[in-house]
Amino acid sequence: GDSVTQMEGPVTLSEEAFLTINCTYTATGYPSLFWYVQYPGEGLQLLLKATKADDKGSNKGFEATYRKETTSFHLEKGSVQVSDSAVYFCALSEGGNNRLAFGKGNQVVVIP
Amino acid sequence: GAGVSQSPRYKVAKRGQDVALRCDPISGHVSLFWYQQALGQGPEFLTYFQNEAQLDKSGLPSDRFFAERPEGSVSTLKIQRTQQEDSAVYLCASSPRTSGITDTQYFGPGTRLTVL
């Protein structure tokens, strides 16, 4: 079935550093792609999404571009803040019911 | 407005006990999803409802898992004869419309189930 792969391991970086989290997908059709974020003690929240190839999703300074040729949807932010510390999940919607398939998630820790 | 709520937030069960987990979706949302999130993993799909109809239960791991949404709003996920491998966070999500449209899914805070 359709699946999502995120880069291994937590990410630790300093405030104002550039953040990239890699995400690649495998799909038979043309899924929509999402980044969800889970802040400490909170539920999953949609961060951004893209529904077709070459679309760019953006929110709160984060961006990701739907790249069909490389089957990727990498998340980037130019200057992270301590408040961006969270777990980030890449996901795709599959099937007629739009159920989500998630990657394993990446813990991001931003130190002041 | 109110978001998706789930209860209880934490549940400890002895192996072999039955448990029931409740989800209150956002009012008026047609679609409702249940996911299971093991420690350190991403959520995995369990089942999907459109109103009261359970249209996809392909993710339910065994026949010990049962879900219902009898009036098309509140949903209950029931696990019979719990096993230690059932320990996980159970997430509920709702979205406004039906399949075929890429709606945002709104997630509840989850129920953390621990089976001893």
Side-chain angles (χ1 to χ4, degrees), chain B:
Chain B
V4 178
S5 60
Q6 293 186 246
S7 61
R9 291 292 310 277
Y10 303 90
K11 178 69 179 177
V12 178
K14 292 183 180 178
R15 189 161 56 95
Q17 283 185 332
D18 298 349
V19 298
L21 312 179
R22 177 187 169 106
C23 172
D24 284 81
I26 294 172
S27 178
H29 276 197
V30 171
S31 297
L32 186 146
F33 302 80
W34 283 98
Y35 295 86
Q36 180 190 58
Q37 186 175 16
L39 189 63
Q41 303 294 316
E44 293 195 358
F45 170 80
L46 293 176
T47 188
Y48 162 70
F49 289 86
Q50 182 177 311
N51 295 307
E52 70 279 3
Q54 189 175 18
L55 298 186
D56 186 349
K57 53 183 181 178
S58 61
L60 296 176
S62 78
D63 58 8
R64 296 186 295 104
F65 286 71
F66 172 76
E68 60 183 6
R69 194 186 185 198
E71 297 178 358
S73 55
V74 171
S75 178
T76 304
L77 177 67
K78 297 179 180 177
I79 309 173
Q80 296 176 326
R81 305 180 304 281
T82 52
Q83 304 294 315
Q84 284 188 322
E85 62 263 28
D86 300 334
S87 296
V89 176
Y90 290 86
L91 298 170
C92 176
S94 70
S95 66
R97 291 174 292 183
T98 61
S99 60
I101 300 170
T102 305
D103 265 345
T104 296
Q105 291 185 27
Y106 296 87
F107 282 81
T111 294
R112 182 178 297 278
L113 173 65
T114 303
V115 181
L116 303 177

Side-chain angles (χ1 to χ4, degrees), chain A residues 32 34 36 38 43-44 46 49 51 89 93 96-100 102-104, chain B residues 33 35 37 40-43 45 48 56 58 91 99-102 104-105 107:
Chain A
S32 293
F34 304 82
Y36 275 83
Q38 190 167 36
L44 277 169
L46 178 68
K49 70 178 183 183
T51 58
F89 293 92
S93 67
N97 60 24
N98 292 320
R99 70 191 214 190
L100 295 172
F102 287 86
K104 291 187 176 181
Chain B
F33 302 80
Y35 295 86
Q37 186 175 16
Q41 303 294 316
F45 170 80
Y48 162 70
D56 186 349
S58 61
L91 298 170
S99 60
I101 300 170
T102 305
T104 296
Q105 291 185 27
F107 282 81

Side-chain angles (χ1 to χ4, degrees), chain A:
Chain A
D2 296 354
S3 64
V4 171
T5 302
Q6 291 182 235
M7 51 192 277
E8 291 289 330
V11 178
T12 302
L13 59 170
S14 299
E15 205 166 19
E16 298 183 2
F18 185 87
L19 171 69
T20 298
I21 306 176
N22 290 341
C23 170
T24 57
Y25 68 90
T26 303
T28 52
Y30 302 96
S32 293
L33 301 174
F34 304 82
W35 278 99
Y36 275 83
V37 59
Q38 190 167 36
Y39 297 103
E42 298 184 18
L44 277 169
Q45 302 174 23
L46 178 68
L47 181 59
L48 53 84
K49 70 178 183 183
T51 58
K52 60 183 187 298
D54 299 325
D55 268 2
K56 177 186 284 188
S58 60
N59 186 27
K60 299 183 180 180
F62 290 89
E63 292 183 341
T65 302
Y66 189 163
R67 302 283 189 200
K68 186 167 175 287
E69 62 277 12
T70 54
T71 62
S72 65
F73 192 56
H74 305 322
L75 182 68
E76 297 181 336
K77 184 173 185 181
S79 176
V80 294
Q81 305 301 311
V82 172
S83 57
D84 294 324
S85 297
V87 182
Y88 292 81
F89 293 92
C90 186
L92 62 78
S93 67
E94 57 177 349
N97 60 24
N98 292 320
R99 70 191 214 190
L100 295 172
F102 287 86
K104 291 187 176 181
N106 287 101
Q107 172 100 46
V108 171
V109 177
V110 180
I111 53 178

